[in-house]
Structures are given as structure tokens and as C-alpha cells.
Amino acid sequence: MRNARGGVFDVINLIFLTFVALITVYPLWHELSLSLSSMEEAMRGGAFFWPRSFTLAAYTTVLQTEYIWTAYGNSIFTMTVGTIVGVLLTAMMSYPLTKGEMPAQKWIMMLVLFTMLFSGGMIPTYLLVKELGLINSLWSLIWPTAISAFNIIIIMSFLRTLPSELEDSAMIDGANPVRIFFSIVIPLSKPVLATVALWEAVNLWNNYLQALIYLTDKSKYTLPLMLRDVINGQATARMTGELTGTSVDSVIAATIIVALVPILCIYPFLQKYFVKGAMLGSVKS
């Protein structure tokens, strides 16, 4: 009887999760199908379950536009440099906090945890970024969020699982703490660093609010701001001035798909680390 009930539950659970997965995936599939449809079919609207009158005209229009490549370059720079800086600084702050002999360790940890509950707010943060001379600079998207208290806790939880004997033997051989950190700790921490890198990369790639606040020059726009311009019609004249065989809706859909490609390519390779890091943070303190 229990096995029968378990089998029924598994079937119902599978049907439910499949339904949820389809609902989640359909918006992306709709945009992909719309971007590959002809102008006449796109203007008809409705639900798109597959491309109608297949054409690549929308992608030709988008990829021939300098505007999107500028935004792409800015987003790639922000994501790449911001991820490296964020992961490195977070790891460098987490490592000493796992050492009991560090002076004022508890007080520093309390200050780190304090930032998870309270922040200065948007206006004080803007004034600080302005005083640092980062307004209208891509670095304004990197430095203010380079270190996250949550990521510090995740990395600390992992570092506590490393055997201390490795560091002791390295110190006996004459290695200093900096050498130990970069030669031993960092290589052994690849899983958790990959997890944090994925979080950082996704957050930086999708960073819309900070870009909207700090960036004023269109040559510095990232993809989220460029998408806003396209969707709101502010860049339609530039991008669709000579549309042939496609529509504004198809161009918008193609722009969205092109903007998603890097993250869609990166995520499958780091998904296992993402799950492992999330579970690590949930069971360790």
C-alpha cells in the first residue's frame, strides 16, 4: 500500500513539476519563436509555440547595430572584471576570519553581519560613489558590490572544512600566509569560488538599478539599459530605421535572446557548484 501511494505521489509530483517547468520556460521560448518569425506573423501577435515563417532578419538587424556591441562590451567588462575582483576580495576577507588567532575577529564578523541587516540607503551610497569620482564609470557597478556578507559566510563555511594540517606543513616548509593562501587555499577552494563567481556574474550581468543610477553616457550603457531603451522605443529609430522583413517586436525579442546567450552558456557548467554552495551555506555556520 505504501509503495502504491509512493508511486502515485511520484507521478503527481512529476506532472506538477513538469507543468511548472513549462510555465517557467515558455516566456523565453515565446521570445525565441517571435524573434525567428516574419514581420507579418509577428504583427499578428498571440501565443508563439514555434517560429512562424522562419527568418533571421531580426537577428541580422540586431547584430549589425553598433549600439548593441557597445553595450555587450560594457557588460562583458563589468561581469568579467567585477567577478574576479569580487571573488578575490571576498576570499581574502573570509580567510583571516576563519583563524581564531586573528585580533578583533568577533568584532569584525559582527560588522560584516551588520551589513546584512542594515545599509546606508540609496542616497548616501550615491553620494559616496560621487565623491569617489565613479559616476558615469563602469567601476561604479563593480566596487560598491565587490564584497557581499553572504558570500563571506559561504566561503568561511567551506574554508573551515579544509584540514589545518595542510597549512601547518606549509608553514614548516617556510611558506608565509600569503603564499599559503594563493598556493594551497585558493586551489582547494575551487568549488565554493566557482559558486560565488556564478552568483557574482549573474548579478553583475543583470545589474539594472545601479546602471540606471550611475551611468549617464550611452557609450557606457550595459545590456540592461540598452534593453530598456529598446523596449521603451527610445532606440527603435536607431536599431530599426531600415527594417526589412521583420518588425519592432521581433527586433526586441532578438535583442533579449542575444543578451541572454552568455549567461545561458555559462550556467550549465557551474550549476553543480551552485547547488553545492547553496547547500553548504544552509548546513554550516
Side-chain angles (χ1 to χ4, degrees):
M1 182 63 70
R2 290 184 177 179
N3 292 335
R5 291 179 178 176
V8 172
F9 173 79
D10 290 340
V11 172
I12 295 176
N13 195 32
L14 178 61
I15 294 174
F16 174 74
L17 292 178
T18 302
F19 178 71
V20 172
L22 291 175
I23 293 177
T24 304
V25 172
Y26 175 72
L28 178 61
W29 180 255
H30 176 275
E31 294 300 314
L32 178 61
S33 299
L34 176 61
S35 67
L36 295 172
S37 299
S38 65
M39 178 175 60
E40 294 79 9
E41 295 295 336
M43 294 179 65
R44 286 175 54 190
F48 282 77
F49 296 101
W50 51 80
R52 306 173 188 168
S53 301
F54 180 87
T55 177
L56 294 175
Y59 288 95
T60 302
T61 301
V62 170
L63 296 178
Q64 288 179 347
T65 306
E66 182 180 357
Y67 185 38
I68 192 171
W69 293 114
T70 300
Y72 236 117
N74 293 336
S75 288
I76 291 175
F77 172 83
T78 302
M79 181 185 71
T80 304
V81 177
T83 300
I84 295 173
V85 170
V87 171
L88 180 61
L89 293 181
T90 304
M92 292 175 66
M93 186 169 184
S94 302
Y95 178 63
L97 290 176
T98 61
K99 305 302 175 184
E101 63 272 15
M102 178 181 174
Q105 179 191 26
K106 292 184 178 179
W107 289 101
I108 295 175
M109 196 62 203
M110 287 178 60
L111 293 176
V112 171
L113 295 175
F114 183 84
T115 63
M116 296 184 67
L117 304 175
F118 304 97
S119 65
M122 183 182 297
I123 296 177
T125 303
Y126 178 85
L127 295 176
L128 175 61
V129 172
K130 183 179 180 181
E131 289 298 322
L132 293 175
L134 298 178
I135 296 296
N136 200 32
S137 169
L138 294 178
W139 290 101
S140 64
L141 309 181
I142 298 174
W143 291 121
T145 58
I147 299 179
S148 166
F150 179 77
N151 291 341
I152 289 176
I153 295 174
I154 293 294
I155 295 180
M156 286 179 60
S157 299
F158 183 87
L159 294 180
R160 288 195 178 105
T161 64
L162 299 180
S164 59
E165 291 78 9
L166 292 174
E167 298 181 36
D168 294 339
S169 61
M171 292 183 66
I172 293 175
D173 292 337
N176 56 38
V178 176
R179 177 69 180 273
I180 293 174
F181 176 74
F182 284 102
S183 300
I184 298 177
V185 176
I186 290 295
L188 292 176
S189 303
K190 288 181 180 179
V192 72
L193 295 181
T195 301
V196 173
L198 176 61
W199 292 342
E200 292 278 357
V202 172
N203 288 335
L204 289 166
W205 189 264
N206 295 328
N207 191 345
Y208 171 74
L209 183 60
Q210 281 186 293
L212 180 64
I213 295 174
Y214 301 136
L215 301 180
T216 57
D217 187 354
K218 284 195 173 185
S219 64
K220 302 293 180 64
Y221 274 14
T222 55
L223 280 172
L225 288 185
M226 186 273 297
L227 287 174
R228 184 218 39 190
D229 280 1
V230 172
I231 293 173
N232 290 342
Q234 298 177 22
T236 301
R238 180 186 300 182
M239 297 189 65
T240 63
E242 299 180 356
L243 289 179
T244 55
T246 187
S247 67
V248 174
D249 290 339
S250 295
V251 171
I252 293 175
T255 306
I256 294 174
I257 296 299
V258 169
L260 288 174
V261 167
I263 294 298
L264 292 177
C265 293
I266 292 174
Y267 190 84
F269 297 100
L270 299 179
Q271 183 181 11
K272 60 180 180 180
Y273 297 123
F274 180 88
V275 175
K276 183 176 181 180
M279 292 299 296
L280 177 67
S282 65
V283 299
K284 294 286 184 177
S285 59

